[in-house]
Amino acid sequence: MPDLLIAQRHSAHLDRVVEALRQVHESDGYPMVWPDDPVAWLTPAGWIGAWVALADGVVVGHVMLVAADGVEHIEELAAAARTSVTGLAGVSRLFVTPKARGSRIASALLERVEDTPTRRGRRLVLDVVDDCGPAVRLYERLGWVRVASGPAAWTGPDGVRPRTAAYLCPR
């Protein structure tokens, strides 16, 4: 893997981020349903900041920080963190392109979010489809604490509510 740069995402990155997301979707089915407007999906209401991983100018990963009120199992997360929902920030839209995996890019993106000033002292939380896959293993290896799990508030393309797990950042 060439030298990696984690940079704040700008509007000029969005076309390349959408292309990276398309690669992830075609490889892994994330997101489960391809959005009608991928740029809007990457800029949801309540987003606080976003970062890209660049290798030789190519977008190979992405992560964003959002208001936590849309995270699954948010009440359980707030209780575990001993704070209100406004005391939390959600990690969202984290993905790494298939060819760039195994290079610790996801870990680097998470570290960047953990160190960002836009976090403003809020405790980080996230939710993930609870399929015992690579994302679940990554969060647990990095020390994130599983707080809750259960059916999602949304349905997948098959009409079924997948099981999700909610995690609290250890720091």
mmCIF file of all heavy atoms in Angstrom, residues 22 24-25 30 57 71 95 111 115 122 148 158 166 171:
data_model
loop_
_atom_site.group_PDB
_atom_site.id
_atom_site.type_symbol
_atom_site.label_atom_id
_atom_site.label_comp_id
_atom_site.label_asym_id
_atom_site.label_seq_id
_atom_site.Cartn_x
_atom_site.Cartn_y
_atom_site.Cartn_z
ATOM 1 N N ARG A 22 -19.198 2.679 -4.255
ATOM 2 C CA ARG A 22 -19.751 1.738 -5.228
ATOM 3 C C ARG A 22 -18.951 0.434 -5.223
ATOM 4 O O ARG A 22 -19.514 -0.664 -5.269
ATOM 5 C CB ARG A 22 -19.772 2.341 -6.629
ATOM 6 C CG ARG A 22 -20.435 1.431 -7.666
ATOM 7 C CD ARG A 22 -20.578 2.072 -9.025
ATOM 8 N NE ARG A 22 -21.302 3.322 -9.028
ATOM 9 C CZ ARG A 22 -22.628 3.445 -8.938
ATOM 10 N NH1 ARG A 22 -23.374 2.370 -8.829
ATOM 11 N NH2 ARG A 22 -23.210 4.629 -8.967
ATOM 12 N N VAL A 24 -17.302 -0.820 -2.706
ATOM 13 C CA VAL A 24 -17.642 -1.515 -1.459
ATOM 14 C C VAL A 24 -19.020 -2.159 -1.574
ATOM 15 O O VAL A 24 -19.212 -3.313 -1.177
ATOM 16 C CB VAL A 24 -17.563 -0.542 -0.264
ATOM 17 C CG1 VAL A 24 -18.117 -1.173 1.002
ATOM 18 C CG2 VAL A 24 -16.119 -0.076 -0.059
ATOM 19 N N HIS A 25 -19.967 -1.434 -2.129
ATOM 20 C CA HIS A 25 -21.322 -1.972 -2.283
ATOM 21 C C HIS A 25 -21.322 -3.218 -3.179
ATOM 22 O O HIS A 25 -21.942 -4.232 -2.844
ATOM 23 C CB HIS A 25 -22.255 -0.905 -2.856
ATOM 24 C CG HIS A 25 -23.635 -1.399 -3.119
ATOM 25 N ND1 HIS A 25 -24.531 -1.693 -2.107
ATOM 26 C CD2 HIS A 25 -24.273 -1.684 -4.280
ATOM 27 C CE1 HIS A 25 -25.655 -2.124 -2.640
ATOM 28 N NE2 HIS A 25 -25.528 -2.122 -3.958
ATOM 29 N N TYR A 30 -22.523 -3.176 1.123
ATOM 30 C CA TYR A 30 -22.647 -2.022 2.026
ATOM 31 C C TYR A 30 -22.613 -0.761 1.198
ATOM 32 O O TYR A 30 -21.683 -0.586 0.414
ATOM 33 C CB TYR A 30 -21.516 -1.974 3.050
ATOM 34 C CG TYR A 30 -21.592 -0.717 3.903
ATOM 35 C CD1 TYR A 30 -22.466 -0.654 4.974
ATOM 36 C CD2 TYR A 30 -20.827 0.407 3.594
ATOM 37 C CE1 TYR A 30 -22.563 0.511 5.730
ATOM 38 C CE2 TYR A 30 -20.925 1.566 4.340
ATOM 39 C CZ TYR A 30 -21.785 1.615 5.408
ATOM 40 O OH TYR A 30 -21.898 2.761 6.152
ATOM 41 N N GLY A 57 -3.448 9.729 -3.998
ATOM 42 C CA GLY A 57 -4.543 10.549 -4.502
ATOM 43 C C GLY A 57 -5.842 9.812 -4.758
ATOM 44 O O GLY A 57 -6.836 10.426 -5.127
ATOM 45 N N VAL A 71 -28.208 6.816 15.744
ATOM 46 C CA VAL A 71 -27.521 5.549 15.992
ATOM 47 C C VAL A 71 -28.493 4.570 16.647
ATOM 48 O O VAL A 71 -29.260 4.944 17.544
ATOM 49 C CB VAL A 71 -26.274 5.779 16.882
ATOM 50 C CG1 VAL A 71 -25.614 4.468 17.263
ATOM 51 C CG2 VAL A 71 -25.280 6.697 16.174
ATOM 52 N N PHE A 95 -15.947 2.970 5.606
ATOM 53 C CA PHE A 95 -15.706 1.897 4.650
ATOM 54 C C PHE A 95 -14.314 2.030 4.055
ATOM 55 O O PHE A 95 -13.724 3.110 4.044
ATOM 56 C CB PHE A 95 -16.772 1.859 3.551
ATOM 57 C CG PHE A 95 -16.942 3.130 2.772
ATOM 58 C CD1 PHE A 95 -16.173 3.379 1.637
ATOM 59 C CD2 PHE A 95 -17.878 4.077 3.155
ATOM 60 C CE1 PHE A 95 -16.335 4.543 0.911
ATOM 61 C CE2 PHE A 95 -18.050 5.249 2.431
ATOM 62 C CZ PHE A 95 -17.276 5.488 1.304
ATOM 63 N N GLU A 111 -9.009 6.268 14.320
ATOM 64 C CA GLU A 111 -8.115 7.075 15.157
ATOM 65 C C GLU A 111 -8.285 8.556 14.841
ATOM 66 O O GLU A 111 -8.297 9.394 15.736
ATOM 67 C CB GLU A 111 -6.663 6.664 14.944
ATOM 68 C CG GLU A 111 -6.303 5.349 15.586
ATOM 69 C CD GLU A 111 -4.897 4.885 15.224
ATOM 70 O OE1 GLU A 111 -4.074 5.732 14.790
ATOM 71 O OE2 GLU A 111 -4.630 3.691 15.372
ATOM 72 N N ASP A 115 -9.565 11.550 17.447
ATOM 73 C CA ASP A 115 -8.706 12.684 17.783
ATOM 74 C C ASP A 115 -9.204 14.024 17.259
ATOM 75 O O ASP A 115 -8.553 15.042 17.465
ATOM 76 C CB ASP A 115 -7.292 12.443 17.230
ATOM 77 C CG ASP A 115 -6.589 11.298 17.931
ATOM 78 O OD1 ASP A 115 -6.972 10.971 19.063
ATOM 79 O OD2 ASP A 115 -5.666 10.727 17.332
ATOM 80 N N ARG A 122 -17.423 14.920 23.074
ATOM 81 C CA ARG A 122 -18.494 13.926 23.070
ATOM 82 C C ARG A 122 -17.916 12.524 22.987
ATOM 83 O O ARG A 122 -16.901 12.284 22.343
ATOM 84 C CB ARG A 122 -19.431 14.166 21.883
ATOM 85 C CG ARG A 122 -20.254 15.430 22.065
ATOM 86 C CD ARG A 122 -21.148 15.648 20.898
ATOM 87 N NE ARG A 122 -20.373 16.368 19.887
ATOM 88 C CZ ARG A 122 -20.910 16.978 18.849
ATOM 89 N NH1 ARG A 122 -22.204 16.927 18.654
ATOM 90 N NH2 ARG A 122 -20.164 17.625 17.994
ATOM 91 N N ALA A 148 -25.285 -2.877 23.400
ATOM 92 C CA ALA A 148 -26.632 -3.399 23.137
ATOM 93 C C ALA A 148 -26.645 -4.064 21.773
ATOM 94 O O ALA A 148 -25.790 -3.822 20.932
ATOM 95 C CB ALA A 148 -27.652 -2.256 23.166
ATOM 96 N N ASP A 158 -34.407 -7.393 1.656
ATOM 97 C CA ASP A 158 -35.285 -8.559 1.733
ATOM 98 C C ASP A 158 -36.497 -8.334 2.635
ATOM 99 O O ASP A 158 -37.297 -9.230 2.860
ATOM 100 C CB ASP A 158 -34.496 -9.776 2.219
ATOM 101 C CG ASP A 158 -33.826 -9.553 3.572
ATOM 102 O OD1 ASP A 158 -34.009 -8.457 4.189
ATOM 103 O OD2 ASP A 158 -33.100 -10.454 4.024
ATOM 104 N N ALA A 166 -24.583 -2.111 19.023
ATOM 105 C CA ALA A 166 -24.167 -0.748 19.304
ATOM 106 C C ALA A 166 -22.942 -0.779 20.200
ATOM 107 O O ALA A 166 -22.880 -1.551 21.150
ATOM 108 C CB ALA A 166 -25.306 0.003 19.989
ATOM 109 N N ARG A 171 -12.462 5.319 24.786
ATOM 110 C CA ARG A 171 -11.845 6.557 25.275
ATOM 111 C C ARG A 171 -12.847 7.675 25.334
ATOM 112 O O ARG A 171 -13.710 7.832 24.580
ATOM 113 C CB ARG A 171 -10.690 6.975 24.361
ATOM 114 C CG ARG A 171 -9.580 5.952 24.388
ATOM 115 C CD ARG A 171 -8.474 6.250 23.395
ATOM 116 N NE ARG A 171 -8.686 5.778 22.051
ATOM 117 C CZ ARG A 171 -8.704 4.495 21.694
ATOM 118 N NH1 ARG A 171 -8.581 3.560 22.598
ATOM 119 N NH2 ARG A 171 -8.852 4.147 20.438
#
